[in-house]
Amino acid sequence: MATDYDKPAEMPDGFEGDYWIDEQIWGHRLYDEQTPWLTLLEFLTVFQSDPSLMTQDNLRYRPQRQLRLRNVVFNNPFFTELVRDPPLTDAVAWDRWLELMKGTVTPSNLPPLTELKSKIPRFADFARLVGYLRRTAIEGNSNKRWSSKFVFPFGRHSLYEDLRVSENGASNDRRFFARNGELLYLMLARSGKADQVASELQRRFFAQPDPTDDIVGILQGSALPAEEKSAGYLPYKRLPEYDTLADDWIFLLGQRLPKFDVLPYIVTMTGLHLLIYFLRRASATAGRVDTPVFVCEIVGPRRSAVRDVALSSFESNQALPRVAVDTLVKSVVKDPRWSEALNDPEPINAAAQVLARHFNWPDDDELQDMNCRSPEHLLEELLSRALGRHKQHVGKIHGSWARAIGLSSRRGSQRVRYAPTDALLKALVFANVQSRMEFKDFLKRLYERYGFVIGEQHAASYITEDQADLEDFAENAMRLEERLTSLGLMHRLSDGCAYVELPFRGRSHHRE
Amino acid sequence: MLPNAAWINFLRKYGPSAANDNMYDETIEQSRKRAGVEPLLLPTPYLNDAFVCLTQDKPISVILSGTAGDGKTYYCRQLWQMLGGKAEDWADDSQATQGMYVVSRDGRQIHIIKDLTEVEKGIAKTIIARMSKDFADPSSNRLYVVAANHGQLYEQWLPVLATSPAAAAAWKSIEDQLVDGEPQTDVPVRVFDLSKRPSADSMKAVLDAVLLHPRWNLCDGCELNQQSTPCPIVENRRRLLGDQNGAVFSGRLQQLMELSTQNNQHVPVRQQLMLVSNILLGHADAKDNLMSCADVHSFQTNGTVWKASPYGNAVGENLSPRKRRNREIFEKFERLGLGHETSNRLDRLLTLGADDPDLRPDYEMLVASDPVYGNTVPWQAAQRAYLENGDYDIGDEALAFKTQIRLQRQRLFFTLPAEKSKQYAAWDLTVYQNAEMFLGVLDSLREGKPAPPALARTLVRGLNRIFTGELLEMHDSLVLATAGSYSQSRTNQLYEAEIAVRPTRGEAIIVVHRDPRGASLRVQLMRPSDLEPVDLFLTCLRFEFLVRVSEGALPSSFSLECYEDILAYKSQVLSALQRRREIEGETVGDGLTLRFIEVMEDGRVRPHAVEVHL
């Protein structure tokens, strides 16, 4: 990554952060607490507002809020007392419910709830409907606040942004929609296949009406015009990662599956791609030549020597982002203006200016408050603060997302290492195999495309003799074969030749 | 004097101690010659077709594919001789150029490569390139016979693909023939996949080839045959031939092969030969666990003939657990659970039959009438001790009650006659309790008869329980329920549709014949001309799973793999439903309705419609 020292760091207008460090490397911003599912939902709210997927910069959009809907589904604990045996009459039940709902905290300018009485006259049906939406909610078992719970994305009425709601109003505090989805949008827009992704998404989800989504729309009623907001910042105009991401989306959307079945795979693969982006930018910033890889242990009944390698692989990737931040901050000394500042009559002030130019810190007040002895001291102070800040959220991304997508695991061990779950394996197959692919080709593809080291063909550069040998990796690959076979995703034809296949291969005369 | 020792020694070569080496065919051949034995007449179903390919008016090349042990090298040798090659030249490496044996016929040169892996990689590349060119050139007078398994073909062809379009075309034709089994006409090469031939047929042929070999005659004059205890080898042969209990033993073996094929687990001829050899000669105390004539006398005198039980040998009881696991055929058979599975009725017969007056007649007929392997000394002792003490620990695991009863169960499986099958279900001794029904259905379908209508209903009842996750009692229609979100979700509350089992307005669910020997459950949502039906190929495992669930087992308790498998099928049926809706067009009413599933007390399902007014 080349940093052009003649231009100031390109902070977007209205950037309110104190530091411009993690943001330079990864953008503003990627956030650990926003899971891959919520990343997708945030993306969908942006896409809904701007379905062209053409805006690559200065993205602005108007996300829906759907507050009445959410109020009824998630801010409504009254069914337990109202749905009884023998049941109350519909009239009584409705009246009581409306009365109870008045006591909940919501903004006042919502469409009236009394409407619902005429839409769904039978109260028991109403309760059943709401119960259904709760049971299908995304990550429904979380104990998040009600305004951060999300119905399943059945269609355009089911999409809305995360909010913090009080009597005074509602605002996006960026707690769970922390901009991951916005960056995702920008990445797809900047890939070479944005129009294809856009049309596939339209075809799959928005073109056909869904009865549940229509009902969700009725529960919401009329929607208030949404506020416009500006999206985050993505540093790199083009990256091969954007293209691979778009390719996988297009491939998945084209698979023949029941309508929503593809969503969990998209969520998982998106999480994986963002993780890869995250690690590769870290690696490039840290000055590494090799791209990061994931040495994976395929868990089996007996402990494998591959585990140790998978452990070190995880740990080295875990440390990488910190190294990137460290390298970036220290790189300021290569700027000729830094050396000039050291020779300046007021070196500390001069140095502060150079730092501010690069990293948006310090400003004058901060400088005053510090008792800085020298430019070097100032730099150390910056580094320490930068790393401290990095640790809070960005530094947790690798661990958090690797777990969320089923890439890392503690299973059978105290320490975390890369050990893919069935869900991740399934997503990888669906994202790469259309009818069939020879197993060795599949392993090769996983390595070249995502950096997965599983079999002996690619393991050579990553192992030291005392950890494991190629034989262990060959067995590792065999375990993968057994796993995929038990998932119904693999078929062995004869010695040495096995195919990864989709179940039923999308055709109705079956080759089982 | 041991008159037939050479023959027995030769048979030992086929057993489980035989090395899995590439020179298998040659080693056996040399051994046979040394023993002065006539060759075994092994089954070669595609041989004539291959010969015709090479000698017809417009001859084409032949590729013989299959797993190790399917007989590719054997076929090559047969073809060589049929085409006019000399037998003695075959084993002579100097007769081959670059790994190829060449024979001329009708002005053409036929190159036979009996093992592609033996050819050095660089040379192989050249050969394949030239082969592809010859395929593309109608005026070429070179033909080829290549024996290689699928993986080897792929590996060798791969590097050539990029450099030659002819190679790419040839490979496509070959791969399509291998994977889809459909003959191609654009490239003049025909692939014979030897692993496609039904294992049940070749089992019969292997049994005949070994058991009916003329060399057995030499056992007649042997003094080991004139003892009070029979010679176990001769006795085992008698059992396999069907002298006792009709042909139940060999019949069961063929049924097991059939099941293996139905489970997409092909058993190559070499493994079948290993099995037969082990059945005849297996004994835990013999060298390499296989008897030779020299062993027989000591076994007769020290009373361990029972250890040569052919019924136990059939599942590798004579081998160590490690050896069993390393030999495909025994590893497959181990999964049957034969000897470990049982039913109360059968175990009662075995344990109490000797004493209980009600069970006595059956016990006499089914167990006691066989003093060699049924009513053996260790079995009687173990049985008595078990009944008296509840436990029988003599230190020797071979004599332990659990080992002895296991042998008895195995014996019963292979000897229970048809007339007793209603009373004592032999298949209860395996994990495939419904195999009898399954095989019956396959036979029926093969003969062109329709499957019994009750079967579709049973399978549908099983599917309903798995698809919905509820304990439903429904068999007249297939309930399609979804979570509304993903189809693989465990809770399925939305009622999508019911597909009628009996043909109604284009819908139907039937069990159909699947070429050549299988069956599928077919779910038809519209007339086939409008929409293709969605088939579920009935492997033995899937069949067992569905029937068991239909009868009350919990889906997740039998096999997780099966469960996932059936859910994937559900996904396909739902996709077809979606297509049907697209074809028929949605009816738009004046409101929106979601239909929820309501499970009623009698186990039937009713949709409960929730209407929302616009």
Side-chain angles (χ1 to χ4, degrees):
Chain A
M1 182 192 88
T3 313
D4 195 334
Y5 289 107
D6 286 332
K7 296 199 193 121
E10 301 159 43
M11 274 166 277
D13 300 331
F15 177 67
E16 284 157 7
D18 296 328
Y19 302 85
W20 183 246
I21 300 175
D22 292 303
E23 292 75 3
Q24 279 191 58
I25 306 174
W26 294 293
H28 178 65
R29 59 177 173 169
L30 289 180
Y31 195 70
D32 64 316
E33 282 179 30
Q34 184 173 8
T35 61
W37 255 114
L38 295 187
T39 303
L40 180 70
L41 290 181
E42 185 182 26
F43 164 82
L44 287 173
T45 60
V46 182
F47 181 76
Q48 182 178 35
S49 171
D50 180 1
S52 71
L53 255 198
M54 294 270 98
T55 319
Q56 303 189 13
D57 254 314
N58 298 317
L59 173 65
R60 301 182 73 78
Y61 65 105
R62 288 176 195 276
Q64 288 187 149
R65 295 190 148 194
Q66 308 298 72
L67 272 165
R68 185 175 89 174
L69 163 75
R70 297 151 83 165
N71 203 21
V72 165
V73 178
F74 298 119
N75 194 26
N76 162 23
F78 307 120
F79 286 146
T80 30
E81 58 181 279
L82 292 175
V83 178
R84 302 190 203 158
D85 191 18
L88 301 168
T89 63
D90 288 330
V92 171
W94 270 112
D95 285 343
R96 241 188 249 167
W97 182 74
L98 288 167
E99 198 56 45
L100 288 166
M101 285 300 283
K102 285 190 188 145
T104 62
V105 174
T106 52
S108 49
N109 55 350
L110 301 183
L113 289 172
T114 44
E115 265 178 18
L116 295 175
K117 225 164 101 168
S118 57
K119 305 282 187 190
I120 315 172
R122 299 191 49 214
F123 192 78
D125 281 352
F126 173 56
R128 188 178 275 211
L129 209 48
V130 172
Y132 171 67
L133 291 174
R134 287 177 185 164
R135 268 190 295 273
T136 51
I138 297 297
E139 294 172 350
N141 294 330
S142 77
N143 52 2
K144 296 196 179 86
R145 61 195 179 191
W146 71 267
S147 57
S148 292
K149 292 192 174 174
F150 296 90
V151 300
F152 187 85
F154 295 106
R156 56 193 186 88
H157 294 113
S158 311
L159 303 173
Y160 49 80
E161 65 166 342
D162 180 45
L163 289 170
R164 185 169 72 94
V165 172
S166 68
E167 276 144 4
N168 308 324
S171 65
N172 187 344
D173 59 352
R174 294 281 167 207
R175 180 79 205 282
F176 297 108
F177 271 24
R179 295 193 191 277
N180 290 0
E182 292 173 0
L183 292 197
L184 175 61
Y185 184 99
L186 291 173
M187 287 185 193
L188 287 168
R190 292 181 192 182
S191 75
K193 306 203 175 159
D195 48 352
Q196 222 181 322
V197 175
S199 69
E200 280 293 284
L201 272 173
Q202 286 288 2
R203 178 183 74 84
R204 262 280 190 172
F205 292 113
F206 297 100
Q208 297 153 5
D210 182 277
T212 314
D213 186 60
D214 290 340
I215 290 178
V216 165
I218 291 177
L219 287 179
Q220 164 55 31
S222 55
L224 299 164
E227 289 171 20
E228 195 183 65
K229 38 174 43 87
S230 60
Y233 159 78
L234 183 66
Y236 313 95
K237 287 252 172 309
R238 294 281 297 176
L239 280 178
E241 284 92 88
Y242 303 162
D243 295 333
T244 324
L245 169 68
D247 279 338
D248 280 354
W249 272 52
I250 294 168
F251 193 88
L252 279 169
L253 291 167
Q255 288 283 32
R256 212 160 99 159
L257 286 168
K259 193 165 164 195
F260 297 121
D261 277 21
V262 76
L263 281 180
Y265 303 136
I266 288 193
V267 166
T268 302
M269 292 308 291
T270 301
L272 176 61
H273 279 290
L274 288 178
L275 185 62
I276 289 173
Y277 164 82
F278 179 69
L279 289 174
R280 285 192 186 174
R281 291 311 99 223
S283 175
T285 309
R288 302 278 166 88
V289 173
D290 308 318
T291 40
V293 294
F294 305 108
V295 179
C296 295
E297 176 200 352
I298 308 295
V299 179
R302 290 177 294 278
R303 194 191 193 288
S304 160
V306 173
R307 177 172 299 179
D308 291 325
V309 194
L311 269 165
S312 10
S313 179
F314 181 88
E315 279 162 14
S316 99
N317 283 343
Q318 179 75 348
L320 202 47
R322 262 185 66 107
V323 175
V325 169
D326 188 274
T327 310
L328 179 67
V329 170
K330 287 181 180 160
S331 73
V332 75
V333 307
K334 297 197 195 116
D335 184 347
R337 283 173 293 213
W338 179 261
S339 330
E340 286 166 20
L342 295 180
N343 297 324
D344 193 279
E346 291 200 17
I348 296 176
N349 279 336
Q353 275 184 32
V354 179
L355 290 182
R357 194 191 198 94
H358 281 272
F359 307 122
N360 206 35
W361 180 92
D363 63 18
D364 299 323
D365 295 329
E366 296 217 41
L367 196 53
Q368 293 276 26
D369 292 340
M370 280 189 292
N371 250 328
C372 223
R373 300 188 295 273
S374 67
E376 288 79 4
H377 180 211
L378 191 60
L379 185 58
E380 270 167 36
E381 181 64 27
L382 172 59
L383 187 58
S384 141
R385 288 176 186 223
L387 288 174
R389 176 181 180 250
H390 172 82
K391 247 171 73 168
Q392 286 172 343
H393 287 288
V394 181
K396 293 183 183 166
I397 285 179
H398 171 249
S400 167
W401 289 0
R403 192 174 50 245
I405 63 175
L407 176 58
S408 72
S409 159
R410 231 189 257 277
R411 198 169 134 205
S413 155
Q414 287 288 27
R415 294 152 69 199
V416 185
R417 82 285 191 204
Y418 294 129
T421 58
D422 286 352
L424 175 59
L425 293 175
K426 255 180 155 166
L428 286 168
V429 171
F430 276 94
N432 287 283
V433 178
Q434 182 144 64
S435 55
R436 65 170 185 263
M437 185 185 289
E438 211 265 329
F439 185 54
K440 294 203 187 79
D441 285 344
F442 182 65
L443 288 179
K444 184 161 172 253
R445 194 173 164 92
L446 290 185
Y447 174 68
E448 287 172 357
R449 213 168 162 76
Y450 312 105
F452 286 116
V453 177
I454 297 173
E456 78 275 23
Q457 303 94 323
H458 314 113
S461 357
Y462 304 104
I463 48 181
T464 56
E465 247 175 53
D466 49 348
Q467 278 182 319
D469 55 35
L470 290 177
E471 196 45 50
D472 295 313
F473 276 89
E475 204 203 301
N476 204 38
M478 220 162 60
R479 283 184 179 181
L480 178 62
E481 190 187 326
E482 281 162 17
R483 274 287 273 291
L484 290 177
T485 307
S486 78
L487 288 172
L489 296 172
M490 213 155 139
H491 191 186
R492 180 164 269 275
L493 274 183
S494 73
D495 298 330
C497 213
Y499 282 98
V500 180
E501 283 182 328
L502 295 189
F504 303 94
R505 273 213 269 155
R507 300 192 299 190
S508 69
H509 59 280
H510 305 295
R511 204 66 205 96
E512 302 296 330
Chain B
M1 273 305 301
L2 302 168
N4 221 357
W7 164 244
I8 299 299
N9 254 340
F10 173 60
L11 277 184
R12 283 180 94 247
K13 294 277 186 301
Y14 284 102
S17 57
N20 260 342
D21 68 355
N22 290 332
M23 302 299 290
Y24 180 82
D25 189 66
E26 276 77 13
T27 313
I28 296 271
E29 190 53 14
Q30 283 165 16
S31 173
R32 178 189 75 76
K33 286 195 191 129
R34 269 202 307 271
V37 168
E38 284 299 298
L40 290 176
L41 295 172
L42 292 175
T44 50
Y46 304 131
L47 188 58
N48 268 326
D49 289 345
F51 182 70
V52 164
C53 279
L54 293 164
T55 53
Q56 63 196 1
D57 278 343
K58 296 221 180 75
I60 55 178
S61 297
V62 160
I63 291 189
L64 300 167
S65 169
T67 58
D70 269 324
K72 299 185 289 297
T73 316
Y74 182 79
Y75 268 61
C76 283
R77 175 153 57 85
Q78 303 301 316
L79 280 173
W80 167 258
Q81 293 183 294
M82 284 162 87
L83 290 166
K86 296 213 206 80
E88 55 272 21
D89 289 345
W90 183 253
D92 189 354
D93 280 346
S94 66
Q95 288 298 319
T97 18
Q98 297 184 325
M100 297 191 284
Y101 289 78
V102 187
V103 61
S104 294
R105 170 112 179 188
D106 299 338
R108 290 177 214 272
Q109 289 198 316
I110 305 180
H111 303 251
I112 304 184
I113 304 169
K114 63 176 163 147
D115 190 342
L116 196 55
T117 53
E118 277 184 350
V119 182
E120 192 254 312
K121 271 211 161 45
I123 297 180
K125 213 170 153 190
T126 322
I127 293 178
I128 289 179
R130 185 155 22 108
M131 223 191 302
S132 308
K133 255 173 82 186
D134 284 331
F135 291 159
D137 176 8
S139 67
S140 158
N141 70 344
R142 278 193 290 257
L143 292 171
Y144 298 87
V145 175
V146 182
N149 64 38
H150 193 162
Q152 294 156 358
L153 281 172
Y154 184 71
E155 266 177 42
Q156 302 283 32
W157 228 281
L158 199 51
V160 190
L161 279 182
T163 57
S164 152
W171 175 248
K172 176 151 195 327
S173 172
I174 292 170
E175 193 173 46
D176 283 347
Q177 288 186 59
L178 272 170
V179 185
D180 296 335
E182 280 157 27
Q184 306 283 320
T185 48
D186 40 350
V187 179
V189 60
R190 175 98 182 268
V191 175
F192 290 96
D193 189 352
L194 299 185
S195 64
K196 284 286 178 324
R197 59 183 175 186
S199 307
D201 293 346
S202 56
M203 182 80 238
K204 179 88 180 50
V206 165
L207 281 169
D208 286 345
V210 176
L211 299 175
L212 300 176
H213 195 281
R215 264 305 267 267
W216 285 107
N217 296 337
L218 291 183
C219 284
D220 290 345
C222 179
E223 61 188 7
L224 294 169
N225 254 331
Q226 271 108 44
Q227 308 299 312
S228 49
T229 325
C231 164
I233 300 177
V234 165
E235 186 62 28
N236 289 351
R237 175 173 175 253
R238 270 189 49 220
R239 306 284 173 123
L240 265 179
L241 278 172
D243 278 14
Q244 270 203 358
N245 308 105
V248 176
F249 193 3
S250 60
R252 287 270 183 250
L253 288 173
Q254 285 170 68
Q255 283 180 321
L256 290 178
M257 291 296 150
E258 177 93 52
L259 289 184
S260 212
T261 309
Q262 291 305 323
N263 267 342
N264 292 321
Q265 291 176 325
H266 169 72
V267 183
V269 170
R270 190 188 301 184
Q271 295 288 318
Q272 292 175 329
L273 284 165
M274 187 188 289
L275 178 65
V276 175
S277 171
N278 199 58
I279 290 176
L280 291 171
L281 307 175
H283 191 292
D285 297 340
K287 175 163 179 272
D288 293 330
N289 310 124
L290 291 174
M291 292 185 282
S292 55
C293 292
D295 294 321
V296 172
H297 183 65
S298 55
F299 293 154
Q300 284 172 324
T301 41
N302 68 13
T304 57
V305 164
W306 64 269
K307 283 191 184 179
S309 165
Y311 315 111
N313 291 341
V315 293
E317 282 282 336
N318 58 314
L319 306 170
S320 70
R322 231 189 91 232
K323 234 178 172 180
R324 234 179 286 146
R325 250 182 283 130
N326 281 335
R327 306 281 180 269
E328 258 182 65
I329 181 73
F330 297 114
E331 199 242 349
K332 281 189 180 115
F333 275 11
E334 198 159 35
R335 300 212 212 123
L336 290 170
L338 183 54
H340 300 277
E341 299 285 320
T342 186
S343 68
N344 284 336
R345 185 176 281 193
L346 281 159
D347 267 9
R348 277 192 73 228
L349 173 69
L350 284 173
T351 48
L352 303 175
D355 298 320
D356 185 323
D358 292 327
L359 297 171
R360 187 84 214 213
D362 281 338
Y363 189 78
E364 278 297 321
M365 177 190 172
L366 299 171
V367 184
S369 57
D370 179 3
V372 187
Y373 297 123
N375 214 17
T376 64
V377 167
W379 166 241
Q380 290 182 50
Q383 186 190 44
R384 252 196 322 274
Y386 175 76
L387 289 174
E388 282 163 23
N389 308 333
D391 201 340
Y392 188 53
D393 186 5
I394 205 179
D396 182 351
E397 198 178 314
L399 298 174
F401 179 73
K402 70 174 199 277
T403 311
Q404 288 296 316
I405 197 171
R406 195 168 70 232
L407 289 171
Q408 291 303 320
R409 289 177 190 143
Q410 288 156 354
R411 183 187 159 277
L412 270 183
F413 176 70
F414 286 114
T415 57
L416 265 171
E419 64 262 26
K420 281 294 181 187
S421 66
K422 273 233 156 39
Q423 219 183 334
Y424 301 105
W427 287 100
D428 281 353
L429 293 165
T430 69
V431 293
Y432 291 115
Q433 296 164 5
N434 294 291
E436 190 84 54
M437 184 190 349
F438 181 61
L439 291 170
V441 169
L442 293 182
D443 284 335
S444 223
L445 289 172
R446 262 204 298 279
E447 290 164 17
K449 303 197 203 117
L455 179 62
R457 289 201 291 272
T458 303
L459 298 175
V460 164
R461 186 165 53 238
L463 278 180
N464 276 334
R465 292 179 177 184
I466 300 166
F467 278 13
T468 62
E470 305 270 0
L471 201 60
L472 300 183
E473 277 298 335
M474 288 194 61
H475 52 242
D476 292 319
S477 57
L478 182 65
V479 178
L480 295 179
T482 59
S485 46
Y486 357 101
S487 65
Q488 311 272 296
S489 170
R490 296 288 189 252
T491 52
N492 294 280
Q493 300 158 4
L494 288 191
Y495 178 97
E496 297 286 343
E498 272 176 67
I499 311 296
V501 173
R502 259 186 36 181
T504 317
R505 281 194 299 263
E507 293 178 1
I509 304 183
I510 39 177
V511 176
V512 296
H513 183 230
R514 242 296 279 300
D515 271 333
R517 301 166 86 96
S520 289
L521 180 68
R522 167 164 294 173
V523 172
Q524 199 175 298
L525 287 98
M526 293 178 87
R527 285 180 220 293
S529 48
D530 298 327
L531 181 65
E532 276 178 62
V534 193
D535 286 355
L536 174 71
F537 181 65
L538 292 172
T539 62
C540 189
L541 189 58
R542 282 176 182 166
F543 185 87
E544 183 71 30
F545 180 54
L546 289 175
V547 173
R548 288 223 202 171
V549 171
S550 170
E551 290 169 357
L554 287 177
S556 50
S557 69
F558 180 72
S559 158
L560 199 54
E561 180 182 336
C562 254
Y563 188 31
E564 291 267 347
D565 198 21
I566 303 293
L567 287 183
Y569 179 61
K570 178 184 169 187
S571 208
Q572 292 299 306
V573 179
L574 285 171
S575 288
L577 180 67
Q578 211 165 311
R579 272 193 306 287
R580 180 173 89 172
R581 286 179 173 157
E582 285 164 24
I583 294 175
E584 289 181 336
E586 283 283 282
T587 49
V588 180
D590 62 349
L592 293 164
T593 314
L594 272 189
R595 290 181 301 176
F596 288 96
I597 279 211
E598 217 175 78
V599 182
M600 301 185 290
E601 268 176 34
D602 62 355
R604 300 188 61 77
V605 145
R606 186 174 61 185
H608 176 95
V610 167
E611 230 191 282
V612 177
H613 304 299
L614 288 171

